[in-house]
Amino acid sequence: MGAAAVPETPADLFRAAGVDSQEEIEVDIWEGAYCGKAMIGKWVSAGILSVVAVVSMLKIKTLGENWKIVLLVLGVPWVGLALMFLYRKLSVRYQLTTQRFIHRSGVLTRVSDRIEVIDIDDVTYHQGLTERLFDVGSIQLVSSDRTHPELWLRGIANVKEVADQIDDLRRKERRRRGLHIESI
């Protein structure tokens, strides 16, 4: 028995679902959220600063009875980073379908915004030095959407592949609907 072919393009997904018209069904392509690897540079910087601070205080012997205050002062940045990470991880979700890009944000209250894939005008990804080392980065979507004409997706794992996926889907949808990319 041979293995079934895995659909590779949105058109293959539609054919596999037995749907004639691509407008009849919307298929999930990608889902994502903030990737913790995007904060590695901040964690390393905080670690280096903490070690330097402790070594400096031991060297000048000012630690004495004030070691609790020193630990408290050193702990504040670490707690701040942990809270920042939790907020970013819990507050943002992204979903790309064959027709829409859906951006959900918020922790206590949730806002869901949809951008039609055909309305996306430009897709750009950005990576810093540490982000390149860990294959994470930010994606900038420029669209004709009124609420989010410019949307930044931060902390995206496999950033190049995701940006290429969004751009390819955008171009295919425009070709399918007979719109020229340059004229929009």
Side-chain angles (χ1 to χ4, degrees), residues 124-170:
T124 307
Y125 73 93
H126 304 265
Q127 289 180 298
L129 178 62
T130 56
E131 291 174 325
R132 283 198 336 241
L133 292 172
F134 294 99
D135 195 23
V136 296
S138 299
I139 298 175
Q140 178 187 19
L141 300 180
V142 177
S143 72
S144 57
D145 184 71
R146 289 182 187 172
T147 56
H148 286 98
E150 185 176 305
L151 178 65
W152 282 89
L153 290 60
R154 303 198 188 280
I156 302 297
N158 304 316
V159 68
K160 182 185 180 327
E161 291 81 17
V162 173
D164 288 346
Q165 208 170 20
I166 295 169
D167 194 44
D168 290 346
L169 190 61
R170 171 189 73 90

Side-chain angles (χ1 to χ4, degrees), residues 30-172:
W30 172 80
E31 287 189 22
Y34 185 81
C35 178
K37 291 190 287 184
M39 285 186 65
I40 286 180
K42 290 177 177 53
W43 292 107
V44 169
S45 297
I48 291 170
L49 288 174
S50 296
V51 168
V52 167
V54 168
V55 168
S56 298
M57 292 193 177
L58 289 174
K59 203 120 174 110
I60 58 175
K61 298 180 183 181
T62 59
L63 200 53
E65 294 295 319
N66 299 325
W67 65 272
K68 290 179 184 176
I69 295 171
V70 171
L71 287 179
L72 181 66
V73 169
L74 288 176
V76 169
W78 288 98
V79 170
L81 283 173
L83 291 174
M84 181 189 299
F85 170 74
L86 283 174
Y87 176 76
R88 289 179 179 180
K89 191 71 175 167
L90 297 174
S91 68
V92 179
R93 295 280 183 269
Y94 306 110
Q95 180 182 4
L96 177 66
T97 70
T98 51
Q99 298 174 11
R100 299 180 293 169
F101 181 83
I102 302 165
H103 169 243
R104 294 180 185 93
S105 61
V107 176
L108 298 178
T109 58
R110 181 70 71 179
V111 175
S112 182
D113 185 48
R114 293 157 180 84
I115 300 172
E116 295 290 324
V117 169
I118 198 166
D119 290 337
I120 298 173
D121 297 324
D122 189 34
V123 180
T124 307
Y125 73 93
H126 304 265
Q127 289 180 298
L129 178 62
T130 56
E131 291 174 325
R132 283 198 336 241
L133 292 172
F134 294 99
D135 195 23
V136 296
S138 299
I139 298 175
Q140 178 187 19
L141 300 180
V142 177
S143 72
S144 57
D145 184 71
R146 289 182 187 172
T147 56
H148 286 98
E150 185 176 305
L151 178 65
W152 282 89
L153 290 60
R154 303 198 188 280
I156 302 297
N158 304 316
V159 68
K160 182 185 180 327
E161 291 81 17
V162 173
D164 288 346
Q165 208 170 20
I166 295 169
D167 194 44
D168 290 346
L169 190 61
R170 171 189 73 90
R171 293 170 57 84
K172 286 177 187 173

Side-chain angles (χ1 to χ4, degrees), residues 20-40:
D20 293 333
S21 172
Q22 292 183 5
E23 289 181 318
E24 292 180 29
I25 190 169
E26 187 171 14
V27 179
D28 286 344
I29 303 296
W30 172 80
E31 287 189 22
Y34 185 81
C35 178
K37 291 190 287 184
M39 285 186 65
I40 286 180

